[in-house]
């Protein structure tokens, strides 16, 4: 009566999960690399580059987070359907 022990696998890395990770890490990298945007030119409607670059990343981060969330939901749904078969 020997039963084979369950093999516990770690987290599965898939291309979708890599894209999710990149979507979530990109804003951090963009904001932490201050040398890339620590200047005043080019100005946009009178706003120095330093400020409008950061404000642009607020919007970009929102879009990337929504994309990551939707990809995560799709991945989880596919895993549930694949595991049920």
């Amino acid at each position: 009566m020997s039963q084979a022990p369950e093999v516990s696998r770690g987290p599965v890395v898939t291309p979708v999960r890599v894209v999710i990770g990149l979507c979530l890490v990109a804003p951090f990298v963009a904001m932490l690399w201050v040398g890339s945007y620590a200047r005043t030119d080019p100005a946009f409607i009178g706003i120095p580059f330093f400020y409008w670059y950061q404000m642009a990343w607020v919007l970009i981060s929102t879009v990337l987070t929504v994309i990551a969330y939707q990809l995560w939901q799709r991945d989880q749904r596919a895993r549930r359907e694949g595991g049920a078969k």
Side-chain angles (χ1 to χ4, degrees), residues 8-39:
S8 175
R9 297 181 191 172
V12 179
V13 178
T14 62
V16 172
R17 290 185 179 188
V18 171
V19 171
I20 290 169
L22 290 174
C23 286
L24 296 175
V25 169
F28 289 104
V29 173
M31 291 290 94
L32 291 176
W33 186 21
V34 178
S36 69
Y37 63 92
R39 58 182 186 265

Side-chain angles (χ1 to χ4, degrees), residues 55-76:
M55 288 298 106
W57 270 102
V58 170
L59 299 175
I60 294 167
S61 298
T62 303
V63 170
L64 290 174
T65 303
V66 168
I67 291 169
Y69 178 75
Q70 290 176 346
L71 288 173
W72 179 257
Q73 291 296 321
R74 186 186 316 168
D75 184 58
Q76 293 301 306

